[in-house]
Amino acid sequence: MVPPVLVKKGHKMSDTFDVVVIGAGPGGYVAAIRAAQLGLKTACIEKRETLGGTCLNVGCMPSKALLHASHLYDEANHDFEKFGLSVKGLDYDIEKVLATKDETVKGLTGGIEFLFKKNKVEWIKGAGKFTGKDTIEVALNEGGSRTITAKNTIIATGSDVANLPGVEIDEKTIVSSTGALELNPVPKSMVVIGGGVIGLELGSVWRRFGSEVTVVEFMDQVLPGMDMEVRKNFGRMLKKQGMTLKLSSKVTAVEKTGKGAKVTFEPVKGGDATTLEVDVVLVSIGRRPYTDGLGLETIGVEMDERSRIKIGHDFSTNVPGVYAIGDVVEGPMLAHKAEDEGVAAAENIAGLTGYVNHDVIPGVVYTYPEVASVGKTEEELKEAGVAYNAGKFPFTANSRAKANLATDGFVKILADKETDRVLGVHIIGADAGNMIAQAATAMEFGASAEDIALTCHAHPTETEAMKEAALAVHKRTIHM
Amino acid sequence: MKTINCKVLVLGAGPGGYVAAIRAGQLGLDTVIVDGQAPGGTCLNVGCIPSKALIHAADEFEKSMHFTGENVLGISVRAPSIDLSKTIEWKDSIVKRLNSGVAGLLKKNKAQLVKGWGKMVDGKTCLVATDEGDVTIKAENVILATGSVPVEIPSLPFGGNIISSTEALSLDGVPEKLVVIGGGYIGLELGTAYAKMGAKVTVVEAAERILPQYDADLSKPIMASLKDLGIEVLLNTKAKAANEDGTALTVETTDGDKTLEASKILVTVGRRAKTEGFGLEELDLTMNGRVVAINDKCETSMTGVYAIGDLTGEPMLAHRAMAQGEMVAEIISGMNRTFDKVSIPAVCFTDPEIVTAGLSPEEAEAAGYETKIGVFPFAANGRAMTMEAETGFVRIVARKDNHLVLGIQAVGKGVAELSAAFSLALEMGACLEDVAGTIHAHPTQSEGFQEAALKALGHALHI
């Protein structure tokens, strides 16, 4: 069925596309660019006034800008005198910090717009809704609606902040990650509910700018899901930096007061409750797949028990021609996972064989030091009954880290006991985020720890710790 | 006279030597290592490590200077000052900790450290002058790891204000005017550090561009950054002579002679293998020009005598020496090993940094390959944008026919830490598709690597 062309405002445009991507986050915009590169007529539906989704607008990128500025401030505050540097009147201007962050975001989102033009992807500004399995009605931002025909659709609508029942986020006093990127003035005190990646990154930002930060985490350590040794060590580092951690604690009430909010929490196992009155409360207990208003039920897209879209290996849903990628499907909610899925889905639509190896998806926490990991944790290996050797090397024994005053952390490599194949790599370190690329490459090649050990690593770099950790798997480190 | 008998003698406790001794000790070989200075060699004492410490301090100082004026980050400070003697003290404390660290590692692995300058008497005997008198060491196997020394310009002998990199790492104050002779990586690393600390720096380079060992695309961003730092670079210019007290240097430019005022004149025109002073002549080894000739097992022309590191020539890099040292210890212990690295990465710690691994486009072409090249600029990398690190790029060189990656180069802030990913990809025989198909964490600079591979394949996503 070919629907009538309905353009209530603007020019009459062709309304049949080979590929329509819903959502212009990292997964969606990359899928759209790749599809267009492959010669497919492509449109991308996005209702936000800028492209880039959560990641570029209110996620990874603005938080990195704040982390960069606050880190430099923190460094000047604490490290300078160690090497003979002194400054007076160290201060920051939060207006400017936030303005620069906004500039960075603008540059990035504008960049995607440019890429769309370059690759001839049509951006349809509005919210899309399936009215049939190959028809989508877009409620246009400028008013009116437009119905388009999509031979193939890629759902890339991402995720939204998960709410704490009974707690209303006003983005001023009780904020989500979005509001936590805009705090002005800097809160004197802050409770972060949830000690995962987002809570610790944003908690770090405001701690560095002088806020007294308390993190309340339900699990027994921060960063649930990561390697336990990493979690324990990293928790200690955060405490040393002045963050207060309330672990194994659950929040029972959040109440707005005149000038801030009261947060009440108690030990998970039971016990006395504590109430803290703070300026700002950040709710960062996770994210949920976002498929509201998409009309998935209309076309009968199958969902799983966690409200995620069910997909096959090629990212196809149960509805022919409808694909889904990124945070709305299974797997870690990470931009780079969504990007690579977007590429693969576009390639599959074009008749190529696109696939993603979900066993090798690195994850990075951009605190200081950074935390990065790829592959299995020790706990996962134990649970799966896989015999492994662990090799660990601390940055205290790495000379570049010493020269950079960046000796916190370690590299840990987990390798199969029998075959020596690398199964997981976990890093806490100043530049862990860049270092994890090597580990991911190694795992994609099915490298053994010995392969890493035999690779010449440049001296003096922090990557030498990777080589030494590989040697440590065989209990033969040189520098320890 | 005291005599020590051992299975392995290592002459020189630099990165090559001490790693060889530690590995030999691990393998249960009775090992003695000889050096006249604190263990760690040039690298730890007067090279890579102290220079990186100084570079780090200079970077931080530059940042703080940046914060005195309008800056996008909104951080402000007044009157930053650097007390170089304190910086040097801090640097010395790092060096000392590393020295004792190496000594501890040797001990832990049961390699005996003999402090004193050793002289080979023959291929199995070394005479060491120690504080407690002469010691004779008789060894079944000898590993020569004597390293290298700075090259001196005959008309500008070291002394007084004319200094080598060694003295440049221990100045008692920031020189007002620093003239650096030689625009190679050592001169530019130190020149950049001192310029950031406030010195007026002039670089004198005889060739037509700086960093002649790198291709022009890699050196261009460095040239721009030197300019931004206010460093004057005189190309096609030769240093001739200094005045008596070393406060002025005459140089020969294309427009005739010129005199440069200088508080210090730093000569960094290269390093040469240290071939004298340890009895090399007694061994009469086959030489390869000015360096000791070795095969792919680091064997010299004399059975039982091995040579590693800078003594064996280019590339004079600590990690090459370490890899060789590790290998030779294993060979002596009976393992079958050869030195067959596809990649020995090299890092230039200027600002931005340069990393090279494998073949450059020219080298690949010279080796007879038809190539596909992908370049991805950090200006299009999100993480770089958030870190004020948009200068530079990642470049990947691959075979046109089968897409095998031949070389990877990068210029940019902090790219040194990408070098391991580059090297590993080369060692594993990666094709462009392999690099492109590996998920790289977002947002990191390492995404530039993946994008460069995509670019070479003709479908970059972010440019």
Side-chain angles (χ1 to χ4, degrees):
Chain A
M1 183 191 80
V2 179
V5 176
L6 280 174
V7 184
K8 295 192 176 154
K9 277 189 183 175
H11 301 289
K12 191 171 169 176
M13 281 170 271
S14 167
D15 282 310
T16 300
F17 295 91
D18 295 323
V19 180
V20 172
V21 181
I22 308 180
Y29 82 71
V30 165
I33 291 172
R34 185 70 187 121
Q37 280 176 350
L38 291 165
L40 301 169
K41 185 165 178 250
T42 306
C44 184
I45 302 171
E46 171 61 56
K47 64 182 174 191
R48 203 189 286 268
E49 284 301 323
T50 48
L51 298 170
T54 299
C55 171
L56 261 66
N57 288 284
V58 289
C60 336
M61 303 319 301
S63 69
K64 291 331 150 263
L66 293 184
L67 282 159
H68 175 64
S70 62
H71 175 61
L72 291 181
Y73 174 75
D74 205 42
E75 232 179 9
N77 218 349
H78 295 112
D79 285 349
F80 277 11
E81 56 179 330
K82 289 181 195 145
F83 43 80
L85 225 158
S86 69
V87 294
K88 289 188 182 117
L90 174 66
D91 204 357
Y92 61 83
D93 176 352
I94 196 66
E95 299 269 348
K96 209 155 197 187
V97 172
L98 296 175
T100 296
K101 175 217 42 160
D102 293 339
E103 273 303 303
T104 305
V105 169
K106 217 166 130 190
L108 284 163
T109 55
I112 309 300
E113 216 176 322
F114 164 79
L115 289 170
F116 269 15
K117 279 189 190 127
K118 186 186 152 195
N119 288 287
K120 303 193 176 57
V121 174
E122 187 184 336
W123 173 12
I124 303 176
K125 292 187 196 181
K129 182 181 185 167
F130 284 99
T131 51
K133 72 176 184 50
D134 54 4
T135 52
I136 298 166
E137 188 178 298
V138 185
L140 299 169
N141 288 0
E142 56 177 12
S145 69
R146 176 173 165 198
T147 300
I148 54 176
T149 302
K151 290 183 189 156
N152 298 279
T153 309
I154 300 175
I155 303 170
T157 43
S159 59
D160 198 2
V161 173
N163 279 340
L164 205 55
V167 178
E168 197 192 328
I169 289 172
D170 64 5
E171 300 295 13
K172 293 271 180 243
T173 306
I174 301 173
V175 299
S176 71
S177 52
T178 305
L181 295 168
E182 301 288 345
L183 299 180
N184 185 11
V186 173
K188 285 201 182 63
S189 55
M190 183 172 185
V191 164
V192 176
I193 304 175
V197 178
I198 296 172
L200 296 183
E201 287 184 1
L202 290 169
S204 289
V205 165
W206 300 109
R207 198 271 305 152
R208 293 169 190 167
F209 282 137
S211 196
E212 220 163 280
V213 175
T214 304
V215 177
V216 183
E217 167 57 46
F218 187 85
M219 304 300 280
D220 56 343
Q221 294 292 342
V222 292
L223 296 178
M226 293 191 87
D227 185 87
M228 187 47 94
E229 192 177 14
V230 165
R231 296 170 64 193
K232 281 187 186 157
N233 278 279
F234 187 61
R236 272 200 289 274
M237 290 174 198
L238 291 174
K239 278 190 203 162
K240 222 171 97 189
Q241 292 171 6
M243 207 180 257
T244 305
L245 304 183
K246 299 288 180 192
L247 303 171
S248 305
S249 300
K250 66 171 179 210
V251 171
T252 51
V254 181
E255 223 182 301
K256 260 170 86 165
T257 62
K259 48 185 171 26
K262 271 190 194 163
V263 182
T264 307
F265 53 91
E266 60 184 39
V268 171
K269 286 183 187 157
D272 293 341
T274 312
T275 300
L276 283 180
E277 188 160 2
V278 290
D279 292 349
V280 169
V281 179
L282 164 60
V283 180
S284 52
I285 55 166
R287 299 183 63 82
R288 60 172 187 89
Y290 179 75
T291 52
D292 303 359
L294 262 181
L296 295 184
E297 52 298 331
T298 314
I299 57 167
V301 173
E302 247 184 89
M303 310 293 278
D304 70 9
E305 70 291 349
R306 292 168 66 180
S307 309
R308 298 175 300 199
I309 297 172
K310 267 193 179 171
I311 48 164
H313 206 63
D314 58 353
F315 308 98
S316 61
T317 67
N318 63 311
V319 179
V322 178
Y323 296 74
I325 58 161
D327 291 2
V328 289
V329 303
E330 190 186 350
M333 291 190 176
L334 293 167
H336 42 282
K337 175 235 182 205
E339 288 184 41
D340 281 43
E341 289 180 343
V343 168
E347 289 178 350
N348 285 328
I349 290 170
L352 305 173
T353 308
Y355 97 115
V356 170
N357 178 5
H358 285 95
D359 289 334
V360 184
I361 300 174
V364 181
V365 189
Y366 293 86
T367 42
Y368 187 88
E370 296 177 345
V371 183
S373 73
V374 61
K376 301 276 186 262
T377 64
E378 288 205 52
E379 292 70 36
E380 285 169 337
L381 291 175
K382 277 180 195 149
E383 187 164 337
V386 178
Y388 64 93
N389 287 317
K392 202 172 98 176
F393 191 82
F395 283 110
T396 44
N398 172 275
S399 47
R400 180 96 202 272
K402 274 200 161 95
N404 281 351
L405 279 172
T407 52
D408 277 345
F410 56 81
V411 177
K412 179 164 80 172
I413 297 180
L414 308 175
D416 189 286
K417 194 162 207 147
E418 206 176 318
T419 63
D420 197 34
R421 181 177 178 142
V422 177
L423 302 173
V425 178
H426 306 278
I427 308 173
I428 302 178
D431 213 4
N434 273 331
M435 285 177 66
I436 206 68
Q438 180 196 6
T441 304
M443 287 183 64
E444 280 290 350
F445 275 97
S448 61
E450 190 183 24
D451 288 322
I452 296 178
L454 281 171
T455 297
C456 195
H457 285 64
H459 178 79
T461 62
E462 286 165 32
T463 68
E464 289 171 278
M466 184 78 82
K467 175 187 164 133
E468 291 277 1
L471 288 170
V473 168
H474 303 284
K475 299 193 171 46
R476 42 157 296 207
T477 50
I478 295 287
H479 288 91
M480 201 175 63
Chain B
M1 196 197 306
K2 195 175 155 191
T3 302
I4 303 173
N5 289 298
C6 62
K7 176 92 176 175
V8 182
L9 163 69
V10 183
L11 191 61
Y18 83 71
V19 168
I22 289 172
R23 186 69 186 126
Q26 283 176 348
L27 293 164
L29 305 172
D30 182 13
T31 305
V32 174
I33 180 166
V34 175
D35 203 315
Q37 71 177 344
T42 297
C43 173
L44 254 66
N45 287 291
V46 290
C48 335
I49 304 303
S51 69
K52 291 329 148 270
L54 215 57
I55 287 168
H56 179 67
D59 282 350
E60 298 293 300
F61 182 66
E62 192 213 11
K63 274 185 215 160
S64 67
M65 286 302 286
H66 184 59
F67 297 151
T68 59
E70 272 292 299
N71 65 85
V72 295
L73 290 175
I75 300 174
S76 58
V77 299
R78 287 197 313 274
S81 65
I82 189 158
D83 180 345
L84 190 64
S85 63
K86 270 201 189 141
T87 311
I88 300 283
E89 225 172 78
W90 167 70
K91 178 230 30 169
D92 287 343
S93 74
I94 291 175
V95 170
K96 225 175 177 166
R97 284 215 310 278
L98 290 168
N99 289 148
S100 56
V102 172
L105 289 166
L106 290 167
K107 202 167 170 188
K108 180 186 151 199
N109 289 289
K110 300 192 180 60
Q112 186 185 351
L113 175 62
V114 175
K115 196 170 183 198
W117 295 110
K119 234 183 168 119
M120 297 306 295
V121 179
D122 58 45
K124 306 245 175 260
T125 317
C126 180
L127 194 65
V128 188
T130 74
D131 289 347
E132 290 91 43
D134 288 357
V135 175
T136 301
I137 297 168
K138 289 194 167 293
E140 286 174 43
N141 298 279
V142 173
I143 304 174
L144 301 174
T146 53
S148 59
V149 290
V151 171
E152 210 170 19
I153 301 176
S155 62
L156 291 161
F158 293 128
N161 275 346
I162 301 173
I163 61 174
S164 73
S165 54
T166 303
E167 291 76 33
L169 295 169
S170 287
L171 297 179
D172 44 20
V174 177
E176 194 188 324
K177 289 175 183 149
L178 177 67
V179 175
V180 179
I181 304 176
Y185 77 97
I186 298 175
L188 295 187
E189 285 182 12
L190 290 169
T192 298
Y194 277 106
K196 287 181 175 180
M197 290 189 278
K200 171 87 194 85
V201 177
T202 307
V203 175
V204 177
E205 170 58 51
E208 59 181 8
R209 61 186 180 84
I210 55 162
L211 297 170
Q213 74 272 39
Y214 293 112
D215 60 73
D217 288 338
L218 296 174
S219 63
K220 221 181 279 163
I222 311 299
M223 191 67 186
S225 114
L226 296 178
K227 214 175 198 175
D228 286 346
L229 284 166
I231 297 176
E232 188 182 4
V233 181
L234 303 174
L235 300 172
N236 302 307
T237 302
K238 284 192 194 106
K240 284 173 79 178
N243 64 354
E244 207 153 303
D245 57 0
T247 54
L249 176 75
T250 310
V251 296
E252 185 188 316
T253 73
T254 40
D255 309 324
D257 285 4
K258 208 172 152 180
T259 301
L260 305 171
E261 279 181 54
S263 332
K264 295 281 177 202
I265 299 170
L266 168 59
V267 180
T268 53
V269 291
R271 298 185 62 84
R272 60 174 180 83
K274 190 182 172 192
T275 50
E276 67 287 311
F278 64 94
L280 180 62
E281 51 289 350
E282 306 298 332
L283 308 184
D284 196 25
L285 300 179
T286 302
M287 301 296 282
N288 174 13
R290 288 183 188 169
V291 304
V292 172
I294 51 167
N295 62 10
D296 61 3
K297 290 183 179 303
C298 289
E299 292 165 332
T300 67
S301 54
M302 185 184 277
T303 305
V305 177
Y306 300 81
I308 61 172
D310 292 2
L311 178 63
T312 64
E314 294 292 345
M316 292 193 183
L317 294 168
H319 43 284
R320 167 175 170 265
M322 292 193 221
Q324 288 177 324
E326 206 181 329
M327 177 192 75
V328 171
E330 291 178 356
I331 289 172
I332 293 173
S333 82
M335 294 183 194
N336 186 12
R337 292 276 317 268
T338 48
F339 199 77
D340 57 357
K341 304 290 182 211
V342 178
S343 160
I344 300 172
V347 182
C348 172
F349 289 89
T350 40
D351 182 7
E353 296 169 345
I354 305 177
V355 170
T356 55
L359 304 181
S360 69
E362 286 82 9
E363 285 164 344
E365 203 173 295
Y369 294 112
E370 267 197 88
T371 58
K372 251 182 185 320
I373 293 170
V375 179
F376 187 82
F378 283 117
N381 174 272
R383 178 69 168 153
M385 282 172 85
T386 64
M387 292 181 12
E388 305 169 279
E390 291 174 47
T391 314
F393 55 85
V394 180
R395 183 176 68 193
I396 192 163
V397 184
R399 277 173 65 151
K400 196 174 185 179
D401 54 357
N402 61 10
H403 297 180
L404 178 74
V405 178
L406 299 170
I408 306 151
Q409 298 86 34
V411 186
K413 260 201 198 330
V415 292
E417 300 303 337
L418 295 179
S419 61
F422 299 168
S423 259
L424 190 94
L426 289 164
E427 290 290 350
M428 304 298 283
C431 296
L432 291 171
E433 288 83 350
D434 294 320
V435 178
T438 298
I439 298 187
H440 285 69
H442 176 80
T444 62
Q445 288 167 290
S446 73
E447 289 171 280
F449 182 29
Q450 186 182 13
E451 285 277 2
L454 286 168
K455 183 84 202 310
L457 290 168
H459 50 89
L461 290 162
H462 286 88
I463 39 171

